[in-house]
Amino acid sequence: MSDDVRDAGLVAMISSILGGNKRADSVTPPPLAEVPPTAPPKGVEPIKPPVPEAPPLKSVDAPSTVPAAPPVERPAKIATTPDGKRLLPAEAIADLVLGELRKMEDFPATGASVTVYGYRHWNAMITFAPFSTSFQNATRFRQALPDLVFKLRRFVELEI
């Protein structure tokens, strides 16, 4: 799809939202109010903010005392089900699905979103922003999604 066709479609969509079939060129913005520039009166110097002084430099020979780093917290243990599946929130599962889809050829870098829904047998839905991909590619990605969800269900359970 050429850029001219995309632009024409985008202009048509915006113009229909903003007011029917009116062209956007016919609408002119109201004139700006004329405000004279303000300048300090003659003989008065502008106020300059004070320049902060730099802290004194330390000697290279002096031993440096670096505060000890706070102890690193271990990540929380990943919740799992009795059958060994990881329990993850819907957003994390959506990121997993989207990450797997991005490995496919011609998957758009932006404009795609995945929604995870359900409970026991969770599912995923993919949506595309206008002009982010072609119809044929979107169909191909939508057809690959059920297989991907089926494989991920074996390892991941939706956390409620």
Side-chain angles (χ1 to χ4, degrees):
M1 184 181 298
S2 71
D3 288 338
D4 293 338
V5 173
R6 286 183 184 177
D7 291 344
L10 187 59
V11 168
M13 181 178 67
I14 291 171
S15 66
S16 68
I17 291 171
L18 295 178
N21 293 329
K22 297 178 186 174
R23 291 194 45 98
D25 300 339
S26 64
V27 178
T28 57
L32 298 174
E34 299 269 337
V35 178
T38 57
K42 290 184 179 181
V44 177
E45 292 192 27
I47 300 172
K48 295 181 182 177
V51 178
E53 292 186 23
L57 297 174
K58 292 185 178 180
S59 171
V60 175
D61 299 333
S64 63
T65 56
V66 177
V72 178
E73 293 182 27
R74 291 187 168 212
K77 187 175 179 182
I78 298 173
T80 57
T81 62
D83 57 350
K85 293 182 183 179
R86 291 174 51 189
L87 282 174
L88 294 176
E91 294 84 17
I93 296 174
D95 289 340
L96 282 173
V97 171
L98 197 56
E100 289 298 316
L101 286 171
R102 289 194 182 192
K103 294 177 183 177
M104 295 180 68
E105 185 180 344
D106 294 332
F107 193 82
T110 60
S113 67
V114 173
T115 304
V116 174
Y117 61 93
Y119 176 61
R120 280 275 185 218
H121 297 287
W122 59 268
N123 207 349
M125 172 183 70
I126 187 168
T127 55
F128 297 98
F131 305 113
S132 63
T133 188
S134 67
F135 180 78
Q136 289 83 12
N137 283 340
T139 303
R140 188 169 53 96
F141 301 136
R142 285 188 179 109
Q143 289 173 348
L145 188 63
D147 293 332
L148 180 62
V149 168
F150 180 76
K151 289 176 185 175
L152 279 174
R153 274 192 208 136
R154 295 186 306 180
F155 304 108
V156 179
E157 189 68 38
L158 182 63
E159 179 182 83
I160 300 293

